DNA sequence: CGCAGCTGAGACATTCATGTCTCAAAATTT
DNA sequence: AAATTTTGAGACATGAATGTCTCAGCTGCG
């Protein structure tokens, strides 16, 4: 009926609700719908009008997260140029959506849905390809598998998302902290002892 | 009544149930008690006889995780010797309990309990102190805060725990992958170009 | 100003996991 | 072997979150 009357407005409405949901769900995946509705500034009834139920909401948050991650990969043009530079661009592009990634990492239940699973596999393959390319170019270490690099990268992005949301890490520091630790490691380079 | 008749046997029984619970809960924190009981090879009734309820079980798993983490810090003697060597020892000591750490990382609800919270803060302080010491010794990079290094380290340990449990990472590779990535980063050292 | 549609508050039913209980079978002790 | 204890299977109650509905108030539009 009315869902299609103002497609543009409705879309932003849905998205703003999803944003609010992420803010809650990335910290407490089992939060009640009441809480999510309140965070979105709407009533539980309206939340139900927008999303048929909890599962649908979770699913859409997951889909949003994957769309954003995919968009970040596009924005960063991870398939182009020097692999290290591409990864640094990816860090900058993905950090604003780190909370969404934290949600994706924590919601293992999502991976029951084939649709979500396929989409995730697609994005992960792009990240793995980036590392593989970097290894072939001699930029990334070959002792660590591309699959592990990809997994660890995502773990750290999710960690950043959590830490920022819970105030343990300043948002302005997050991209730097992620890029430097992941690329350079914790050890001080002792090229000049 | 009977809980105290065979303290030794009862203790191992409790621990074996807790181990089984970790195996399930680290992957699906919302798993039903049925599932946990089956994984432990006992009935739901007996599970209830050992642990008064779900919350008590979760709490004990959390406490076990923190005890193990604390024991790993002891085993690794993180306060002694070269900071890098100490961290490498910590990696080896903590990797066997990585699944437990994954559970701790995912169960934010645990941190409502002051008891658990204090215990965690204690362990985290030890890790932070290790990084701080390493920074003062010139071993670890000073551009990254000790708090972030500590957080990221734990994120990667938890990630290892998940990846191993879900078969994405071979257990034998896990310690190496963790230590090398965290300490050395993803970039190939080009000291000899 | 009046109308149509959307929203929020609340009541209500439903579902599902949990918590509790009983009893028979199995295990262990004496 | 008898007795005591423990266990497992199931029935049942409870409680909490979800899903559904109604209705009054508000908003926006003609």
């Amino acid at each position: 009926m009315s869902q299609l009357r103002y497609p543009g407005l409705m879309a932003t409405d849905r998205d703003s609700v999803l944003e609010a949901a992420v803010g809650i769900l990335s910290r407490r995946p089992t939060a009640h719908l009441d809480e999510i509705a309140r965070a979105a500034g709407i009533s539980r009834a309206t939340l139900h009008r927008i999303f048929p139920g909890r599962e649908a909401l979770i699913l859409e948050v997951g889909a949003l997260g994957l769309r954003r991650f995919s968009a970040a990969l596009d924005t960063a043009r991870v398939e182009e140029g020097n692999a290290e530079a591409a990864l640094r661009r990816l860090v900058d592009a993905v950090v604003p959506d780190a909370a969404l990634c934290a949600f994706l990492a924590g919601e293992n239940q999502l991976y029951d849905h084939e649709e979500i699973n396929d989409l995730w596999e697609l994005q992960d393959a792009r990240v793995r390809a980036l590392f593989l390319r970097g290894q072939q170019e001699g930029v990334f270490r070959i002792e660590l598998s591309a699959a592990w690099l990809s997994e660890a990268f995502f773990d750290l992005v999710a960690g950043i998302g959590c830490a920022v949301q819970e105030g343990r890490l300043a948002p302005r520091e997050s991209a730097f902290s992620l890029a430097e630790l992941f690329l350079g490691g914790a050890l001080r380079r002792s090229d000049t002892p």
Side-chain angles (χ1 to χ4, degrees), chain A:
Chain A
M1 318 284 182
S2 60
Q3 292 98 323
L4 302 174
R5 290 200 56 178
Y6 310 100
L9 290 175
M10 264 317 182
T12 51
D13 211 29
R14 286 172 65 91
D15 279 7
S16 72
V17 171
L18 288 177
E19 293 286 355
V22 171
I24 302 292
L25 289 171
S26 63
R27 276 176 288 196
R28 298 230 306 338
T30 63
H32 307 309
L33 293 183
D34 273 329
E35 212 172 333
I36 297 171
R38 248 182 295 127
I42 61 179
S43 70
R44 201 165 66 93
T46 302
L47 182 61
H48 260 280
R49 284 180 191 115
I50 303 177
F51 303 100
R54 181 186 184 81
E55 187 174 343
L57 173 63
I58 300 284
L59 204 63
E60 294 234 30
V61 175
L64 174 66
L66 286 173
R67 282 201 305 273
R68 291 280 182 83
F69 193 62
S70 172
L73 288 166
D74 293 339
T75 302
R77 307 188 313 280
V78 290
E79 282 86 3
E80 301 174 20
N82 174 268
E84 177 185 347
L87 187 65
R88 288 186 187 274
R89 290 194 301 269
L90 178 58
V91 168
D92 288 333
V94 85
V95 154
D97 293 317
L100 220 23
C101 293
F103 169 81
L104 283 175
E107 202 72 13
N108 294 17
Q109 189 184 2
L110 272 173
Y111 296 82
D112 295 342
H113 297 265
E114 193 175 350
E115 196 181 355
I116 293 284
N117 223 347
D118 292 351
L119 198 49
W120 163 251
E121 177 51 36
L122 214 62
Q123 309 314 319
D124 191 48
R126 293 178 71 184
V127 179
R128 282 201 311 272
L130 168 61
F131 286 118
L132 207 54
R133 181 165 66 89
Q135 288 175 324
Q136 287 162 351
E137 291 173 356
V139 173
F140 293 139
R141 302 170 64 180
I142 56 173
E143 311 94 288
L144 302 167
S145 76
W148 162 241
L149 288 174
S150 168
E151 168 125 13
F153 178 72
F154 200 74
D155 287 341
L156 288 178
V157 172
I160 287 259
C162 267
V164 167
Q165 272 205 323
E166 294 174 17
R168 292 194 304 268
L169 187 67
R172 304 196 49 148
E173 289 180 23
S174 57
F176 173 82
S177 297
L178 173 58
E180 285 306 308
L181 177 65
F182 185 80
L183 287 171
L187 286 183
R188 184 175 172 189
R189 302 267 179 136
S190 47
D191 301 279
T192 57

